[in-house]
Amino acid sequence: MNALTARFSSELQAVPMGQRLGRVVSFNGLVLEALGPDARLGELCEIEPRDGATCVLAEVVGFREERVQLMPFGHLEGISTDSRIRASGRPVTIPVGPALLGRVVDAFGDPLDDDGPVECAASYPLYRTPINPMARAPIEDVLETGVRAIDTLLTLGVGQRVGVFAGSGVGKSTLLGMLARQVKADVTVLALIGERGREVGEFLTHSLGEDGRKRAVVIAATADESALVRVHAAHAAHAVAEYFRDQGQSVLLMVDSMTRFAMAQREIGLAIGEPPTFRGYTPSVFSQLPKLLERCGRLRSGGAISGVYSVLVEGDDMNEPVTDHMRAILDGHIVLTRDLAARGHHPAIDVLHSSSRLMHQVASEDESALATAAKRHLAIHEASRDLIELGAHQRGANPALDRAVDLKPALDRLMQQTPRESTPRAEACRQMASAVATEVVA
């Protein structure tokens, strides 16, 4: 009885015996400032409209001169300077469980489709402690994508993080759809950040398809959502991926796009008074990117998250800040170019400017040597492309260039494929070996 009494007393002391309240004092269009409540950074608060309407949820995003800065998730119609704010005592979480498979939800796990409520028994916080580096397992297994150009020349590993870099209208979404349908993984978690509402449905129907959707969880935050909701959607996708990884499953996580995530984080940073740097990006943008991406990987305890992050390259400038920072953090980058797309080469992967940093760890020596030989021929041809197109190439003057010219059509055919076409990696490597070994008789 004494033990039961002590336990009851301990639990009773943990229950809050009062409310932590505050009052709205200002609002600048994005951030609301309040006197109180005594809340922590990242804590959820409820804002009570004066007319008795439904409370609006907001998150504590900063502090300034003894005032609490909050960013609301919804619209603030009816909020006034005497509106009361109540601290909830809890951070933002998302429900997780097998019931999420096949569903389309928002950043908080609420359904966006017409399949009823999502019934999950557990929840994960959006922000988790980074993985201990010593808990990571080495990446040794090939991640088969079904895309010949990637599987042969840019081989990926299970647990690797790779970026798809492209300007607008170059085929980025089409390639992501191919990967979502064809990559061999137990579960696919797809985050659509800042997309137009029309594109969400089109991606599900045309790119992901019915079969791909059955093993996928789609988390969407469209362009009309607040910056905070768009940021939360990216973190929510990682939390859902972590749940399935913790069940020992191999997860493919895809985020489209990290540029829009960075833009949303920039909006938040500027609103709470962070100093802008190059192109207006705030320091928090570049501190959040590695924290987010480091949540992927393969664990010694089992389970892995393979990350594919799309990056919308502004003005086709591969050195703009978000693109450059992402390229430095990731384990590889797949570059799509407007020039190849204009020539009808799809997917428009520029293999000479793309790289998989883990290819030599997961591919065999013969496969790596084959990829090196193919890239060498492509590089020789590209270096003399103007000469060839002008008709100034003289056969016999440069045997290496002659060989590259002979092999280029076969290599181009191999690296092109339609969105619905999938090739097993073993077959793709066999076709590559055949193409590189081809001798053209003059």
Side-chain angles (χ1 to χ4, degrees):
M1 189 66 180
N2 291 336
L4 182 62
T5 303
R7 179 183 172 187
F8 176 78
S9 176
S10 175
E11 292 182 355
L12 185 63
Q13 291 176 6
V15 175
M17 305 305 290
Q19 295 182 335
R20 290 175 292 146
L21 302 175
R23 179 175 60 83
V24 175
V25 293
S26 70
F27 180 60
N28 68 4
L30 286 177
V31 173
L32 182 149
E33 291 194 344
L35 290 174
D38 179 19
R40 300 182 299 274
L41 197 65
E43 185 173 348
L44 281 178
C45 295
E46 297 174 347
I47 307 172
E48 299 178 354
R50 184 169 56 180
D51 57 6
T54 304
C55 291
V56 177
L57 285 178
E59 182 181 340
V60 178
V61 294
F63 306 96
R64 180 189 293 173
E65 297 177 355
E66 299 184 358
R67 291 184 178 182
V68 179
Q69 295 178 308
L70 303 105
M71 190 164 280
F73 295 136
H75 300 290
L76 290 179
E77 285 80 3
I79 301 296
S80 64
T81 52
D82 61 352
S83 294
R84 191 167 62 171
I85 300 175
R86 182 189 307 110
S88 70
R90 56 188 174 87
V92 184
T93 60
I94 185 167
V96 292
L100 285 171
L101 292 173
R103 301 301 303 270
V104 183
V105 299
D106 64 13
F108 309 101
D110 296 322
L112 294 175
D113 51 26
D114 298 324
D115 296 335
V118 180
E119 302 291 345
C120 294
S123 63
Y124 268 32
L126 263 61
Y127 301 87
R128 299 186 73 190
T129 304
I131 302 171
N132 185 329
M134 300 308 297
R136 295 182 180 273
I139 296 174
E140 300 171 335
D141 301 323
V142 170
L143 180 70
E144 189 169 338
T145 68
V147 180
R148 291 190 293 268
I150 296 176
D151 285 342
T152 57
L153 302 179
L154 305 167
T155 309
L156 306 178
V158 176
Q160 184 172 348
R161 305 161 306 169
V162 65
V164 177
F165 294 79
S168 57
V170 182
K172 170 173 52 66
S173 295
T174 302
L175 178 59
L176 291 178
M178 293 173 69
L179 295 174
R181 286 192 309 273
Q182 298 170 184
V183 166
K184 295 186 180 301
D186 299 320
V187 177
T188 300
V189 179
L190 176 63
L192 301 175
I193 312 298
E195 295 284 350
R196 292 180 286 270
R198 170 185 60 81
E199 292 178 325
V200 175
E202 289 183 356
F203 190 93
L204 294 174
T205 303
H206 302 300
S207 297
L208 190 57
E210 192 62 33
D211 292 338
R213 186 171 169 179
K214 289 178 182 177
R215 63 181 179 97
V217 181
V218 180
I219 299 173
T222 52
D224 59 311
E225 299 276 11
S226 70
L228 191 59
V229 172
R230 280 176 274 148
V231 167
H232 280 344
H235 287 282
H238 284 74
V240 171
E242 287 167 339
Y243 166 78
F244 287 106
R245 179 206 61 198
D246 292 345
Q247 309 308 306
Q249 295 182 297
S250 175
V251 183
L252 172 66
L253 170 65
M254 306 180 70
V255 181
D256 184 20
S257 73
M258 288 301 295
T259 304
R260 294 192 178 103
F261 167 83
M263 289 177 174
Q265 186 63 46
R266 175 175 63 183
E267 285 184 46
I268 296 172
L270 292 173
I272 62 176
E274 281 191 71
T277 58
F278 186 52
R279 295 202 182 181
Y281 286 104
T282 56
S284 63
V285 173
F286 302 107
S287 67
Q288 286 294 326
L289 289 176
K291 289 180 182 178
L292 193 66
L293 271 58
E294 281 296 313
R295 296 171 71 171
C296 294
R298 184 180 173 200
L299 299 185
R300 294 186 182 276
S301 58
I305 301 175
S306 306
V308 178
Y309 298 88
S310 78
V311 180
L312 181 62
V313 182
E314 296 185 73
D316 292 339
D317 178 11
M318 288 297 292
N319 294 316
E320 65 94 20
V322 173
T323 300
D324 190 54
H325 202 69
M326 286 290 293
R327 195 168 55 230
I329 300 170
L330 293 166
D331 303 319
H333 49 277
I334 299 170
V335 178
L336 309 185
T337 63
R338 200 171 300 278
D339 180 53
L340 285 174
R343 284 189 260 156
H345 184 117
H346 298 289
I349 300 174
D350 185 346
V351 294
L352 296 179
H353 290 91
S354 303
S355 174
S356 172
R357 297 182 181 179
L358 300 179
M359 178 172 180
H360 295 292
Q361 290 182 212
V362 297
S364 68
E365 290 186 8
D366 289 344
E367 291 166 348
S368 296
L370 183 64
T372 301
K375 287 182 179 180
R376 182 172 62 250
H377 293 310
L378 291 171
I380 292 171
H381 186 280
E382 183 64 25
S384 301
R385 182 177 157 195
D386 292 341
L387 186 72
I388 297 168
E389 291 179 349
L390 287 171
H393 168 231
Q394 300 279 335
R395 291 194 68 87
N398 184 342
L401 181 56
D402 294 343
R403 175 76 169 151
V405 171
D406 293 339
L407 294 181
K408 186 66 161 58
L411 292 175
D412 279 348
R413 284 194 300 271
L414 180 68
M415 292 186 292
Q416 296 179 61
Q417 64 188 91
T418 61
R420 293 291 170 180
E421 185 182 358
S422 177
T423 304
R425 182 171 180 271
E427 174 63 16
C429 290
R430 188 195 65 76
Q431 292 179 18
M432 177 64 73
S434 178
V436 172
T438 298
E439 292 290 350
V440 178
V441 178

